[in-house]
Amino acid sequence: MRVIRNLALLALMSAPAVWAQSLFAAASIVAEQAPQEVWWKHAVIYEIYPRSFQDSNGDGIGDLNGIIERLDYLQSLGVDAIWLSPIYPSPQVDFGYDISDYEAIDPQYGTLADFDRLIAEAKKHNIRVIMDMVMNHTSDQHPWFIESKISRNNPKRDWYVWRDGKGPGIPPNNWESVFGGSAWKYDPTTKQWYYHKFYAQQPDLNWRNPAVEKAMFDAVRFWLDRGVAGFRLDAIPTLFEDPQFRDEKPLGGTNAFGDPILDDNYTNDLPEVHDVMRSLRKVVASYPGNRVLIGETYLPNIQELDKWYGGASHNELNLPMDMLIGFIDKLDANLFRERIDDVETKIHGNQPLIVFDNHDNPRSWNRYGDGVHDDAIARVLAAMLFTVRGTALMYYGEELGMVTTPPARVEDVKDPVGKVGWPKDKGRDGERTPMQWSDSTDAGFSTAATTWLPVTPDYTTVNVQTEEANPNSMLNWYKKLIEMRRTDPALHDGALTMLDRTNPNVLSYLRKGPPGSPSVVVALNFTAQSQTVSLDLAGIGLSGNSVKTLLTDAPSLQSATSLKQIELPPFASWIGSVQ
Ligand code: NOJ
């Protein structure tokens, strides 16, 4: 099990523990456009792991110029925005999530000039660029931390979380790193310990010091001024720690690293973080063009997710990620229905952000697949992702059916956590393998003799070039869904109504068309058995008489004309228009 999944599980287990200064006048927030015009509300956002997307200079590592080369592809897929995982200068211990300079580009990925060109070229393709912003911690090689370590009275000392130990060799308390072991590291020079929620090379910033907020908001403005469309906020619920540094409560049992499982009440989602989110929202909202704030928010329940939007005040994040749907990890129609209902009714009309895949978790192909119907199951998930009411977030390669390929030997592991957790936790390399563009050398990702992670062997058949040529490929399934979502008025803005609510096997819902236009009905078979559904729309004032299939992977349903009896083969998806 992956680390980030551990966090999510911990969050779920530790409920009510949660997971997961105004610089501008409040009036500046009105610069945001009216809700129906906001671009990100209907967007498909595509996460790029730049190391693995396209290598343009033959060093085996993806780069910014590589992304530029692939903008035509992204446009043809129908992507509205790309989120780049971190490309700042970094020692790369955590592959960019350990930042040593917030206002530059790591030479491995290119230059600031390349970045500016990416923004400009992406714009020509109607694609916006979203940066990853890591505000919880820096690299231990960041000049701020290097200074902070010098002495107890260095001006930067208080930018990080320093504490005396409980005694010789004994850390200040029992807090644990997400990546295993104590969250405290001893510094022999100043004889104190510093706190790191993640790797020891990622010391946590002290958000109780206003200078930290100022420095971080300055970095945010630096990129907003360069034209980025917004930020994905890394590990954002972990900004603050308990000011009394109390021990966390053991919940019983041990994790993949052999550490006791603790609740995280004192290191996660402290109320103070919401003040920072409101201030940050004001900074971002003072820029034109509806810049967006997305949160990496693993949370235990919908009530906690709602708080990250600012609830009825709508004044924190625009799009905290809903991990409650995409990481259910079993095809349970009742649970999916319940969680979709939750975002429909319990987040004060805020916009859901649905996501199944990212660079921290095994791909959904493997988390949901049964080894027999993986392709059909992946289509069910994609059909849901693009037809429920929400913003869709996808991860590179998901559209091809790329699989998780963990390293076979511990000596091949690149993600440090995979070395510590081996073999129980093999790290996150498996979901970060190079993008599969073609069946040629290095899958068209690179021309290097070796790539930073090996290409997955199935690239000879699972790749963009091959799939583009096959009308029934996963890639074309994604393209059709995205196109449909873009052009169909019911899928664009229509209200969602669940149908056939008590059916434990099939998830069905309707997206209501505008007056005079058809509505869209979706029926997804979550089981390995054929299922017959009969959908009655009388309750929502539709006759349901005129039915036309828009998209299905079941040949038998291509010409369905009635909702009275829809026979869905195992894991089939059916999307139809109805009057
Ligand atoms: C979440 C990121 O997605 C993950 O890759 C990283 O290791 C941690 N945050 C720490 O920054």
Side-chain angles (χ1 to χ4, degrees):
M1 186 183 297
R2 299 289 184 264
V3 169
I4 306 298
R5 294 284 299 128
N6 292 347
L7 285 179
L9 277 179
L10 193 54
L12 291 168
M13 287 161 52
S14 60
V18 184
W19 239 94
Q21 292 111 32
S22 165
L23 297 178
F24 284 82
S28 64
I29 215 157
V30 298
E32 293 183 86
Q33 291 161 13
Q36 66 273 22
E37 295 156 17
V38 173
W39 69 271
W40 46 258
K41 280 218 163 175
H42 306 109
V44 174
I45 303 175
Y46 186 97
E47 181 191 353
I48 290 182
Y49 199 69
R51 273 186 106 67
S52 298
F53 196 60
Q54 179 65 58
D55 170 20
S56 74
N57 61 359
D59 64 358
I61 297 172
D63 47 46
L64 296 183
N65 286 329
I67 299 173
I68 294 173
E69 286 172 17
R70 295 300 186 177
L71 287 169
D72 286 347
Y73 167 76
L74 293 169
Q75 187 173 24
S76 74
L77 181 58
V79 165
D80 300 289
I82 49 177
W83 143 35
L84 309 179
S85 66
I87 49 174
Y88 315 92
S90 162
Q92 305 289 341
V93 172
D94 194 14
F95 298 109
Y97 284 96
D98 47 326
I99 299 173
S100 52
D101 180 353
Y102 283 81
E103 298 183 3
I105 301 289
D106 192 300
Q108 285 192 7
Y109 300 128
T111 63
L112 264 178
D114 295 333
F115 180 79
D116 291 342
R117 203 161 65 84
L118 170 61
I119 297 260
E121 292 299 316
K123 192 169 180 197
K124 290 184 198 156
H125 290 78
N126 296 321
I127 294 173
R128 293 170 159 89
V129 178
I130 295 168
M131 293 290 266
D132 212 311
M133 187 48 71
V134 185
M135 309 208 300
N136 178 66
H137 48 268
T138 68
S139 161
D140 63 346
Q141 300 306 308
H142 195 294
W144 301 337
F145 189 70
I146 292 175
E147 266 198 59
S148 184
K149 273 181 83 169
I150 291 174
S151 68
R152 289 192 184 201
N153 54 16
N154 184 280
K156 290 277 186 318
R157 185 66 170 182
D158 191 43
W159 281 44
Y160 293 85
V161 182
W162 290 98
R163 234 21 223 160
D164 289 332
K166 278 190 175 155
I170 308 173
N173 62 25
N174 73 346
W175 295 354
E176 286 171 357
S177 160
V178 168
F179 293 134
S182 170
W184 295 97
K185 178 154 176 173
Y186 186 66
D187 170 48
T189 314
T190 57
K191 301 190 170 43
Q192 277 193 314
W193 302 69
Y194 69 84
Y195 173 67
H196 57 92
K197 180 84 177 171
F198 297 92
Y199 290 123
Q201 296 90 337
Q202 293 169 302
D204 270 51
L205 285 160
N206 173 19
W207 276 82
R208 298 187 187 277
N209 181 342
V212 166
E213 178 178 291
K214 184 179 175 314
M216 215 37 92
F217 286 9
D218 282 350
V220 160
R221 286 195 197 87
F222 176 89
W223 295 102
L224 289 171
D225 288 338
R226 287 198 111 83
V228 304
F231 300 94
R232 174 267 190 187
L233 304 173
D234 182 70
I236 196 67
T238 65
L239 286 200
F240 285 87
E241 296 79 38
D242 175 37
Q244 295 174 51
F245 294 88
R246 284 169 282 189
D247 274 349
E248 289 187 318
K249 199 172 97 205
L251 297 174
T254 53
N255 61 23
F257 313 107
D259 301 326
I261 296 173
L262 304 177
D263 94 2
D264 58 356
N265 277 347
Y266 295 135
T267 56
N268 189 23
D269 208 20
L270 272 70
E272 294 90 321
V273 72
H274 294 283
D275 296 332
V276 175
M277 292 305 97
R278 286 187 284 273
S279 302
L280 180 61
R281 173 73 173 261
K282 285 179 187 157
V283 173
V284 173
S286 71
Y287 283 76
N290 285 300
R291 318 286 174 106
V292 65
L293 282 173
I294 298 172
E296 189 203 15
T297 39
Y298 291 92
L299 298 164
N301 57 48
I302 195 73
Q303 288 74 22
E304 295 303 335
L305 181 65
D306 184 43
K307 288 187 191 161
W308 280 85
Y309 289 98
S313 304
H314 313 286
N315 58 356
E316 295 192 28
L317 304 189
N318 308 102
L319 296 173
M321 293 178 197
D322 182 337
M323 309 296 206
L324 297 163
I325 295 176
F327 294 91
I328 289 176
D329 288 359
K330 62 176 175 188
L331 284 167
D332 176 334
N334 286 329
L335 206 45
F336 270 83
R337 189 177 296 122
E338 196 182 294
R339 302 259 168 107
I340 295 169
D341 273 344
D342 280 352
V343 286
E344 282 294 317
T345 58
K346 296 182 184 158
I347 58 170
H348 289 95
N350 286 297
Q351 177 75 356
L353 176 58
I354 315 292
V355 52
F356 283 94
D357 282 289
N358 62 33
H359 62 283
D360 291 324
N361 294 282
R363 288 179 179 271
S364 56
W365 181 279
N366 304 89
R367 286 185 288 115
Y368 288 91
D370 65 357
V372 178
H373 305 91
D374 295 353
D375 184 278
I377 291 171
R379 286 172 202 250
V380 165
L381 300 181
M384 203 215 90
L385 175 65
F386 295 117
T387 60
V388 291
R389 202 186 56 78
T391 300
L393 175 55
M394 58 181 289
Y395 182 52
Y396 82 94
E398 182 184 323
E399 72 275 27
L400 305 177
M402 273 177 63
V403 301
T404 319
T405 315
R409 309 176 313 167
V410 65
E411 52 271 40
D412 297 331
V413 173
K414 296 285 191 305
D415 183 18
V417 73
K419 295 195 171 110
V420 183
W422 190 274
K424 277 193 186 159
D425 185 334
K426 295 182 176 172
R428 298 164 292 178
D429 295 352
E431 52 267 22
R432 299 173 176 179
T433 57
M435 176 68 172
Q436 295 167 203
W437 295 105
S438 69
D439 61 2
S440 57
T441 313
D442 295 341
F445 160 70
S446 172
T447 52
T450 43
T451 52
W452 85 279
L453 282 176
V455 172
T456 294
D458 70 6
Y459 77 93
T460 50
T461 51
V462 178
N463 66 64
V464 170
Q465 197 180 40
T466 306
E467 295 196 29
E468 270 175 347
N470 172 3
N472 295 321
S473 65
M474 187 64 69
L475 177 56
N476 277 314
W477 181 254
Y478 268 71
K479 280 191 183 177
K480 285 176 204 158
L481 285 166
I482 294 173
E483 171 70 9
M484 191 187 303
R485 165 194 170 90
R486 181 190 301 284
T487 52
D488 189 294
L491 290 179
H492 194 68
D493 270 325
L496 184 148
T497 305
M498 285 295 173
L499 304 171
D500 198 16
R501 281 193 159 273
T502 52
N503 191 325
N505 303 314
V506 179
L507 180 71
S508 306
Y509 48 88
L510 175 133
R511 298 287 311 278
K512 183 90 170 68
S517 294
S519 294
V520 169
V521 170
V522 179
L524 306 170
N525 183 354
F526 273 41
T527 72
Q529 291 77 41
S530 296
Q531 303 287 342
T532 304
V533 289
S534 175
L535 303 174
D536 181 4
L537 306 187
I540 37 178
L542 289 172
S543 72
N545 284 339
S546 163
V547 173
K548 200 177 108 216
T549 296
L550 295 173
L551 184 65
T552 183
D553 54 352
S556 55
L557 288 174
Q558 288 294 356
S559 50
T561 52
S562 165
L563 293 180
K564 296 258 150 45
Q565 195 171 332
I566 306 176
E567 289 179 20
L568 294 154
F571 298 110
S573 305
W574 180 79
I575 304 171
S577 89
V578 294
Q579 292 278 22

